[in-house]
């Protein structure tokens, strides 16, 4: 199939599938998680910005420290709270990529080393194979770290030269891929479903390429296909295998002995396994089932968030149901307890699709409404409390970014700046009496504190404001939401 010419009929089928399933634009309807293995700061500082720049907006990066001496705090200072990067520090006696796999919530995920340089279009192109053939669960680009058909060693003077080469390659081979028996390289795209089926990587194999090869063979045993993209090339500055091999050559040798025994390859010499075929077992040993490799523990503890949603205008029950579903489904962050507060004569709580842990409060009159907003935060012992308005269509990572800003920063209270506020300048938030006022629908704060006084804005009857306590440290993050796009 991969060698056939791409005709109009096949392209039409691809785009038809994407439109029907809501996957346009790529990379994925629910985003994509990229696990980055951190081993060298000098590589990470170059390649991580390229990864953020060329992977699209619907990505979440989990960067894991592969060595105990990796300077995570230095890298953290170079990242802003708005960037979708979570740093996972090194844990002794744990294989860190397996720790990150626990937290994959998206349909697709990528594992790659911090020395991989990517260019425009790399991620969406990798996903074509899975769309063409749903049984393809693992896809890799060409690189110098692949073995066999995927190996491609090139040299570039600048990133612009790399981007020009990839653009040319995409133009000639766009959408082309081939099925392979094993993959070994520094970049791998796979599905969440496959992780749950076969588990994580076998750290006893020591060498990274052996762990990847073993994982791919287990994937094939489960019925998954492996694909190599002929159109995509990623540039490896250095190989993690080469870096670790210089530290402990004996462990690399031990890893090969374990791998060869596991897959009945004892007759093959270690110095002969550069070829892809030398990593593939004979059919009789391939049919012997391998054990599930448990994933790591969930180290990324998700703080409990109380989301207080207030309706600032009357809505009928059908509209309320629609708002409820949209508010809950659109957020990527999941550890949330929802509280809805509504000023109404009708108690519609029994008609809403709420969870047992969520609350709907109906009150009559503005004073009771404001009092309920003030007191609602005590219903749960949450680490973070935030207010949401039904008049704003928040972007899907809004709560996730707020949680990151509060947990990784020193601010007591976080404000998400709207485009209008950013254009006017933060100083215009000050009221006529020189007191700072904040739009309530963009406020979040640490649990256990009193944020200030809530009141209705004098300039409009439809919005609320917060007068924060003077002792609080206020932080600001950029806004990615569609503040002008009200919900229906």
């Amino acid at each position: 199939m991969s060698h056939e010419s791409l005709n109009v009929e096949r392209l039409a089928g691809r785009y038809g599938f994407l439109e029907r399933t809501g996957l346009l634009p790529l990379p994925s309807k629910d985003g994509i998680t990229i696990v980055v293995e951190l081993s060298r700061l000098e590589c990470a500082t170059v390649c991580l910005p390229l990864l953020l720049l060329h992977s699209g907006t619907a990505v979440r990066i989990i960067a894991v420290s592969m060595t105990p001496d990796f300077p995570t705090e230095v890298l953290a200072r170079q990242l802003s709270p708005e960037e979708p990067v979570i740093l996972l520090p090194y844990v002794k006696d744990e294989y860190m990529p397996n720790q990150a796999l626990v937290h994959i919530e998206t349909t697709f995920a990528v594992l790659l080393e911090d020395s991989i340089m990517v260019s425009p279009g790399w991620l969406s192109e990798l996903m074509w194979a899975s769309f063409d053939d749903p049984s393809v669960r693992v896809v890799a680009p060409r690189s110098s770290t692949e073995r066999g058909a995927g190996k491609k060693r090139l040299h570039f003077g600048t990133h612009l030269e790399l981007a020009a080469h990839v653009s040319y390659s995409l133009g000639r081979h766009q959408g082309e891929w081939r099925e392979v028996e094993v993959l070994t390289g520094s970049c791998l795209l796979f599905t969440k479903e496959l992780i749950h089926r076969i588990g994580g990587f076998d750290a006893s194999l020591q060498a990274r390429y052996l762990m990847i090869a073993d994982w791919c063979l287990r994937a094939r045993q489960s019925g998954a296909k492996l694909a190599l993209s002929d159109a995509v090339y990623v540039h490896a500055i250095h190989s993690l295998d080469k870096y670790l091999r210089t530290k402990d050559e004996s462990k690399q040798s031990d890893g090969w002995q374990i791998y060869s025994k596991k897959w009945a390859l004892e007759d093959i010499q270690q110095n002969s396994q550069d070829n892809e075929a030398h990593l593939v077992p004979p059919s009789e040993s391939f049919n012997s089932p391998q054990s599930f490799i448990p994933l790591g523990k969930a180290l990324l503890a998700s703080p409990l968030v109380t989301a207080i949603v207030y309706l600032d205008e009357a809505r009928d029950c059908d509209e309320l149901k629609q708002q409820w579903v949209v508010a809950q489904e659109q957020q990527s962050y999941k550890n949330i307890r929802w509280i809805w507060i509504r000023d109404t004569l009708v108690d519609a709580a029994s008609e809403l699709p709420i969870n047992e842990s969520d609350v709907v409060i109906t009150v009559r009159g503005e004073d009771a409404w404001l009092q309920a907003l003030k007191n609602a935060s005590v219903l749960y012992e949450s680490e973070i409390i935030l207010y949401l308005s039904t008049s704003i269509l928040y972007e899907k990572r809004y709560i996730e970014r707020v949680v990151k800003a509060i947990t990784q920063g020193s601010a007591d209270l976080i404000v998400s700046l709207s485009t209008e506020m950013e254009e006017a300048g933060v100083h215009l938030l000050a009221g006529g009496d020189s007191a700072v006022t904040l739009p309530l629908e963009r406020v979040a704060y640490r649990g256990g504190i009193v944020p200030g006084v809530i009141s209705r804005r004098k300039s409009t009857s439809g919005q609320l404001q917060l007068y924060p306590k003077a002792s609080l440290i206020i932080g600001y993050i950029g806004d990615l939401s569609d503040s002008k796009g009200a919900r229906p």
Side-chain angles (χ1 to χ4, degrees), residues 321-435:
K321 288 180 182 178
Q322 184 177 2
Q323 291 166 4
W324 182 275
V325 172
V326 170
Q328 291 191 317
E329 290 185 350
Q330 76 172 152
Q331 287 300 320
S332 60
Y333 195 84
K334 300 304 180 185
N335 193 19
I336 305 174
R337 297 293 179 265
W338 297 85
I339 301 176
W340 283 60
I341 302 178
R342 187 185 187 200
D343 181 4
T344 179
L345 297 175
V346 179
D347 184 1
S350 61
E351 302 180 35
L352 292 173
I354 65 173
N355 299 320
E356 292 183 2
S357 57
D358 299 332
V359 174
V360 176
I361 300 175
T362 57
V363 295
R364 298 183 184 180
E366 181 175 310
D367 291 341
W369 187 54
L370 294 176
Q371 190 66 26
L373 283 169
K374 176 182 177 181
N375 298 330
S377 61
V378 302
L379 292 179
Y380 301 109
E381 294 183 356
S382 300
E383 297 171 71
I384 297 171
I385 293 93
L386 55 84
Y387 294 95
L388 304 174
S389 170
T390 55
S391 64
I392 292 181
L393 186 62
Y394 298 90
E395 54 97 10
K396 66 179 296 183
R397 288 196 302 108
Y398 174 74
I399 294 180
E400 182 180 330
R401 293 191 307 115
V402 166
V403 170
K404 181 181 177 182
I406 291 180
T407 56
Q408 297 187 10
S410 58
D412 301 307
L413 188 149
I414 290 291
V415 183
S416 173
L417 297 174
S418 67
T419 303
E420 294 80 5
M421 293 161 63
E422 288 180 317
E423 291 175 350
V426 177
H427 64 279
L428 296 183
L429 294 174
D433 56 356
S434 298

Side-chain angles (χ1 to χ4, degrees), residues 239-289:
S239 168
L240 184 57
D241 270 336
K242 182 178 180 180
Y243 171 78
L244 294 177
R245 189 178 298 122
T246 60
K247 286 193 165 188
D248 197 336
E249 192 79 37
S250 63
K251 288 186 177 181
Q252 299 286 318
S253 178
D254 292 343
W256 171 252
Q257 297 302 320
I258 296 172
Y259 181 89
S260 60
K261 182 177 181 180
K262 185 175 184 178
W263 295 102
L265 297 169
E266 290 94 337
D267 295 335
I268 299 178
Q269 298 296 318
Q270 183 186 1
N271 59 8
S272 301
Q273 35 68 26
D274 267 348
N275 192 298
E276 175 188 0
H278 291 145
L279 296 172
V280 180
S283 57
E284 56 271 18
S285 61
F286 180 77
N287 292 331
S288 301

Side-chain angles (χ1 to χ4, degrees), residues 41 44-46 49 52 71-80 83:
L41 181 63
T45 54
V46 172
L52 288 165
T72 306
E73 66 285 350
V74 176
L75 184 61
R77 288 196 294 267
Q78 300 178 19
L79 302 170
S80 75
E83 292 173 327

